[in-house]
PDB file of all heavy atoms in Angstrom:
ATOM      1  N   GLN A  25      -0.034   0.621  15.328  1.00  0.00           N
ATOM      2  CA  GLN A  25       1.042  -0.253  14.832  1.00  0.00           C
ATOM      3  C   GLN A  25       2.408   0.407  15.027  1.00  0.00           C
ATOM      4  O   GLN A  25       3.385  -0.262  15.333  1.00  0.00           O
ATOM      5  CB  GLN A  25       0.829  -0.577  13.343  1.00  0.00           C
ATOM      6  CG  GLN A  25      -0.351  -1.470  13.061  1.00  0.00           C
ATOM      7  CD  GLN A  25      -0.212  -2.826  13.740  1.00  0.00           C
ATOM      8  OE1 GLN A  25      -0.902  -3.106  14.712  1.00  0.00           O
ATOM      9  NE2 GLN A  25       0.680  -3.652  13.253  1.00  0.00           N
ATOM     10  N   ALA A  26       2.439   1.725  14.818  1.00  0.00           N
ATOM     11  CA  ALA A  26       3.717   2.444  14.994  1.00  0.00           C
ATOM     12  C   ALA A  26       4.167   2.332  16.445  1.00  0.00           C
ATOM     13  O   ALA A  26       5.319   2.004  16.729  1.00  0.00           O
ATOM     14  CB  ALA A  26       3.568   3.901  14.577  1.00  0.00           C
ATOM     15  N   GLN A  28       3.404   0.131  18.691  1.00  0.00           N
ATOM     16  CA  GLN A  28       3.807  -1.243  19.040  1.00  0.00           C
ATOM     17  C   GLN A  28       5.173  -1.605  18.434  1.00  0.00           C
ATOM     18  O   GLN A  28       6.051  -2.143  19.116  1.00  0.00           O
ATOM     19  CB  GLN A  28       2.748  -2.228  18.552  1.00  0.00           C
ATOM     20  CG  GLN A  28       3.035  -3.632  19.032  1.00  0.00           C
ATOM     21  CD  GLN A  28       1.974  -4.631  18.579  1.00  0.00           C
ATOM     22  OE1 GLN A  28       0.897  -4.270  18.138  1.00  0.00           O
ATOM     23  NE2 GLN A  28       2.289  -5.892  18.699  1.00  0.00           N
ATOM     24  N   ALA A  29       5.370  -1.284  17.168  1.00  0.00           N
ATOM     25  CA  ALA A  29       6.638  -1.633  16.511  1.00  0.00           C
ATOM     26  C   ALA A  29       7.806  -0.889  17.166  1.00  0.00           C
ATOM     27  O   ALA A  29       8.872  -1.477  17.399  1.00  0.00           O
ATOM     28  CB  ALA A  29       6.566  -1.290  15.024  1.00  0.00           C
ATOM     29  N   ILE A  30       7.604   0.380  17.466  1.00  0.00           N
ATOM     30  CA  ILE A  30       8.693   1.172  18.060  1.00  0.00           C
ATOM     31  C   ILE A  30       9.007   0.638  19.455  1.00  0.00           C
ATOM     32  O   ILE A  30      10.163   0.518  19.849  1.00  0.00           O
ATOM     33  CB  ILE A  30       8.324   2.669  18.050  1.00  0.00           C
ATOM     34  CG1 ILE A  30       8.294   3.174  16.602  1.00  0.00           C
ATOM     35  CG2 ILE A  30       9.296   3.484  18.909  1.00  0.00           C
ATOM     36  CD1 ILE A  30       7.681   4.532  16.385  1.00  0.00           C
ATOM     37  N   ASN A  31       7.970   0.262  20.152  1.00  0.00           N
ATOM     38  CA  ASN A  31       8.162  -0.311  21.480  1.00  0.00           C
ATOM     39  C   ASN A  31       8.933  -1.643  21.405  1.00  0.00           C
ATOM     40  O   ASN A  31       9.857  -1.888  22.159  1.00  0.00           O
ATOM     41  CB  ASN A  31       6.766  -0.513  22.104  1.00  0.00           C
ATOM     42  CG  ASN A  31       6.863  -0.980  23.526  1.00  0.00           C
ATOM     43  OD1 ASN A  31       7.832  -0.657  24.215  1.00  0.00           O
ATOM     44  ND2 ASN A  31       5.897  -1.752  23.960  1.00  0.00           N
ATOM     45  N   GLU A  32       8.565  -2.467  20.433  1.00  0.00           N
ATOM     46  CA  GLU A  32       9.173  -3.809  20.366  1.00  0.00           C
ATOM     47  C   GLU A  32      10.475  -3.852  19.578  1.00  0.00           C
ATOM     48  O   GLU A  32      11.372  -4.615  19.880  1.00  0.00           O
ATOM     49  CB  GLU A  32       8.186  -4.796  19.725  1.00  0.00           C
ATOM     50  CG  GLU A  32       7.002  -5.074  20.638  1.00  0.00           C
ATOM     51  CD  GLU A  32       5.927  -5.933  19.967  1.00  0.00           C
ATOM     52  OE1 GLU A  32       6.126  -6.375  18.820  1.00  0.00           O
ATOM     53  OE2 GLU A  32       4.884  -6.130  20.611  1.00  0.00           O
ATOM     54  N   ARG A  33      10.564  -3.029  18.517  1.00  0.00           N
ATOM     55  CA  ARG A  33      11.735  -3.174  17.628  1.00  0.00           C
ATOM     56  C   ARG A  33      12.441  -1.845  17.364  1.00  0.00           C
ATOM     57  O   ARG A  33      13.290  -1.754  16.504  1.00  0.00           O
ATOM     58  CB  ARG A  33      11.296  -3.811  16.293  1.00  0.00           C
ATOM     59  CG  ARG A  33      10.891  -5.259  16.437  1.00  0.00           C
ATOM     60  CD  ARG A  33      10.356  -5.856  15.157  1.00  0.00           C
ATOM     61  NE  ARG A  33       9.104  -5.232  14.741  1.00  0.00           N
ATOM     62  CZ  ARG A  33       7.919  -5.516  15.279  1.00  0.00           C
ATOM     63  NH1 ARG A  33       7.819  -6.408  16.227  1.00  0.00           N
ATOM     64  NH2 ARG A  33       6.825  -4.876  14.874  1.00  0.00           N
ATOM     65  N   LYS A  34      12.018  -0.795  18.043  1.00  0.00           N
ATOM     66  CA  LYS A  34      12.684   0.527  17.978  1.00  0.00           C
ATOM     67  C   LYS A  34      12.475   1.279  16.660  1.00  0.00           C
ATOM     68  O   LYS A  34      13.049   2.332  16.445  1.00  0.00           O
ATOM     69  CB  LYS A  34      14.198   0.439  18.217  1.00  0.00           C
ATOM     70  CG  LYS A  34      14.604  -0.381  19.420  1.00  0.00           C
ATOM     71  CD  LYS A  34      14.671   0.498  20.655  1.00  0.00           C
ATOM     72  CE  LYS A  34      15.113  -0.246  21.885  1.00  0.00           C
ATOM     73  NZ  LYS A  34      14.016  -0.895  22.614  1.00  0.00           N
ATOM     74  N   ARG A  35      11.713   0.690  15.737  1.00  0.00           N
ATOM     75  CA  ARG A  35      11.411   1.414  14.498  1.00  0.00           C
ATOM     76  C   ARG A  35      10.142   0.845  13.883  1.00  0.00           C
ATOM     77  O   ARG A  35       9.732  -0.278  14.200  1.00  0.00           O
ATOM     78  CB  ARG A  35      12.572   1.353  13.510  1.00  0.00           C
ATOM     79  CG  ARG A  35      12.858  -0.040  13.000  1.00  0.00           C
ATOM     80  CD  ARG A  35      14.045  -0.057  12.049  1.00  0.00           C
ATOM     81  NE  ARG A  35      14.169  -1.369  11.434  1.00  0.00           N
ATOM     82  CZ  ARG A  35      15.095  -1.706  10.562  1.00  0.00           C
ATOM     83  NH1 ARG A  35      16.005  -0.827  10.186  1.00  0.00           N
ATOM     84  NH2 ARG A  35      15.126  -2.918  10.050  1.00  0.00           N
ATOM     85  N   PHE A  36       9.554   1.652  12.997  1.00  0.00           N
ATOM     86  CA  PHE A  36       8.298   1.262  12.373  1.00  0.00           C
ATOM     87  C   PHE A  36       8.481   1.342  10.853  1.00  0.00           C
ATOM     88  O   PHE A  36       8.788   2.408  10.318  1.00  0.00           O
ATOM     89  CB  PHE A  36       7.196   2.235  12.833  1.00  0.00           C
ATOM     90  CG  PHE A  36       5.862   2.057  12.171  1.00  0.00           C
ATOM     91  CD1 PHE A  36       5.205   0.837  12.174  1.00  0.00           C
ATOM     92  CD2 PHE A  36       5.227   3.138  11.566  1.00  0.00           C
ATOM     93  CE1 PHE A  36       3.957   0.684  11.581  1.00  0.00           C
ATOM     94  CE2 PHE A  36       3.970   3.009  10.977  1.00  0.00           C
ATOM     95  CZ  PHE A  36       3.340   1.774  10.985  1.00  0.00           C
ATOM     96  N   LEU A  37       8.325   0.209  10.175  1.00  0.00           N
ATOM     97  CA  LEU A  37       8.508   0.154   8.721  1.00  0.00           C
ATOM     98  C   LEU A  37       7.129   0.082   8.061  1.00  0.00           C
ATOM     99  O   LEU A  37       6.415  -0.912   8.235  1.00  0.00           O
ATOM    100  CB  LEU A  37       9.325  -1.077   8.325  1.00  0.00           C
ATOM    101  CG  LEU A  37      10.682  -1.287   9.013  1.00  0.00           C
ATOM    102  CD1 LEU A  37      11.365  -2.556   8.469  1.00  0.00           C
ATOM    103  CD2 LEU A  37      11.591  -0.087   8.818  1.00  0.00           C
ATOM    104  N   ALA A  64      10.480  10.271  14.089  1.00  0.00           N
ATOM    105  CA  ALA A  64      11.919  10.018  13.885  1.00  0.00           C
ATOM    106  C   ALA A  64      12.209   8.526  13.770  1.00  0.00           C
ATOM    107  O   ALA A  64      13.258   8.135  13.259  1.00  0.00           O
ATOM    108  CB  ALA A  64      12.721  10.621  15.037  1.00  0.00           C
ATOM    109  N   LYS A  65      11.271   7.701  14.220  1.00  0.00           N
ATOM    110  CA  LYS A  65      11.498   6.247  14.173  1.00  0.00           C
ATOM    111  C   LYS A  65      10.646   5.557  13.099  1.00  0.00           C
ATOM    112  O   LYS A  65      10.550   4.336  13.052  1.00  0.00           O
ATOM    113  CB  LYS A  65      11.221   5.637  15.545  1.00  0.00           C
ATOM    114  CG  LYS A  65      12.222   6.173  16.560  1.00  0.00           C
ATOM    115  CD  LYS A  65      12.064   5.542  17.898  1.00  0.00           C
ATOM    116  CE  LYS A  65      13.134   6.131  18.826  1.00  0.00           C
ATOM    117  NZ  LYS A  65      12.840   5.935  20.223  1.00  0.00           N
ATOM    118  N   VAL A  66      10.009   6.372  12.267  1.00  0.00           N
ATOM    119  CA  VAL A  66       9.164   5.817  11.205  1.00  0.00           C
ATOM    120  C   VAL A  66       9.971   5.776   9.892  1.00  0.00           C
ATOM    121  O   VAL A  66      10.632   6.759   9.547  1.00  0.00           O
ATOM    122  CB  VAL A  66       7.905   6.701  11.017  1.00  0.00           C
ATOM    123  CG1 VAL A  66       7.079   6.229   9.826  1.00  0.00           C
ATOM    124  CG2 VAL A  66       7.065   6.715  12.293  1.00  0.00           C
ATOM    125  N   HIS A  67       9.923   4.650   9.199  1.00  0.00           N
ATOM    126  CA  HIS A  67      10.553   4.539   7.879  1.00  0.00           C
ATOM    127  C   HIS A  67       9.455   4.293   6.856  1.00  0.00           C
ATOM    128  O   HIS A  67       8.674   3.337   6.987  1.00  0.00           O
ATOM    129  CB  HIS A  67      11.552   3.379   7.838  1.00  0.00           C
ATOM    130  CG  HIS A  67      12.802   3.676   8.606  1.00  0.00           C
ATOM    131  ND1 HIS A  67      13.969   4.073   7.996  1.00  0.00           N
ATOM    132  CD2 HIS A  67      13.049   3.672   9.932  1.00  0.00           C
ATOM    133  CE1 HIS A  67      14.894   4.282   8.921  1.00  0.00           C
ATOM    134  NE2 HIS A  67      14.363   4.049  10.106  1.00  0.00           N
ATOM    135  N   GLY A 133      18.395  -3.973   1.981  1.00  0.00           N
ATOM    136  CA  GLY A 133      19.040  -3.305   3.118  1.00  0.00           C
ATOM    137  C   GLY A 133      18.192  -3.358   4.383  1.00  0.00           C
ATOM    138  O   GLY A 133      18.705  -3.151   5.485  1.00  0.00           O
ATOM    139  N   PHE A 134      16.901  -3.616   4.225  1.00  0.00           N
ATOM    140  CA  PHE A 134      16.013  -3.694   5.392  1.00  0.00           C
ATOM    141  C   PHE A 134      15.532  -5.131   5.619  1.00  0.00           C
ATOM    142  O   PHE A 134      14.596  -5.362   6.380  1.00  0.00           O
ATOM    143  CB  PHE A 134      14.801  -2.771   5.191  1.00  0.00           C
ATOM    144  CG  PHE A 134      15.144  -1.335   5.454  1.00  0.00           C
ATOM    145  CD1 PHE A 134      15.738  -0.567   4.458  1.00  0.00           C
ATOM    146  CD2 PHE A 134      14.922  -0.756   6.693  1.00  0.00           C
ATOM    147  CE1 PHE A 134      16.090   0.752   4.700  1.00  0.00           C
ATOM    148  CE2 PHE A 134      15.262   0.558   6.943  1.00  0.00           C
ATOM    149  CZ  PHE A 134      15.862   1.314   5.945  1.00  0.00           C
ATOM    150  N   ALA A 135      16.186  -6.074   4.938  1.00  0.00           N
ATOM    151  CA  ALA A 135      15.709  -7.459   5.010  1.00  0.00           C
ATOM    152  C   ALA A 135      15.834  -8.005   6.415  1.00  0.00           C
ATOM    153  O   ALA A 135      16.807  -7.756   7.117  1.00  0.00           O
ATOM    154  CB  ALA A 135      16.487  -8.329   4.035  1.00  0.00           C
ATOM    155  N   SER A 136      14.842  -8.768   6.761  1.00  0.00           N
ATOM    156  CA  SER A 136      14.864  -9.480   8.018  1.00  0.00           C
ATOM    157  C   SER A 136      15.818 -10.669   7.812  1.00  0.00           C
ATOM    158  O   SER A 136      15.706 -11.373   6.806  1.00  0.00           O
ATOM    159  CB  SER A 136      13.429  -9.913   8.263  1.00  0.00           C
ATOM    160  OG  SER A 136      13.323 -10.712   9.316  1.00  0.00           O
ATOM    161  N   ASP A 145       6.005  -3.671   9.039  1.00  0.00           N
ATOM    162  CA  ASP A 145       5.047  -3.657  10.150  1.00  0.00           C
ATOM    163  C   ASP A 145       3.640  -3.393   9.643  1.00  0.00           C
ATOM    164  O   ASP A 145       2.663  -3.891  10.215  1.00  0.00           O
ATOM    165  CB  ASP A 145       5.447  -2.570  11.156  1.00  0.00           C
ATOM    166  CG  ASP A 145       6.789  -2.875  11.780  1.00  0.00           C
ATOM    167  OD1 ASP A 145       6.911  -3.950  12.393  1.00  0.00           O
ATOM    168  OD2 ASP A 145       7.729  -2.061  11.630  1.00  0.00           O
TER     169      ASP A 145
END
Side-chain angles (χ1 to χ4, degrees):
Q25 291 299 107
Q28 187 179 345
I30 292 168
N31 185 29
E32 291 174 4
R33 291 175 295 281
K34 312 271 182 273
R35 65 182 188 180
F36 174 55
L37 307 181
K65 296 184 179 162
V66 174
H67 287 259
F134 282 83
S136 173
D145 296 301

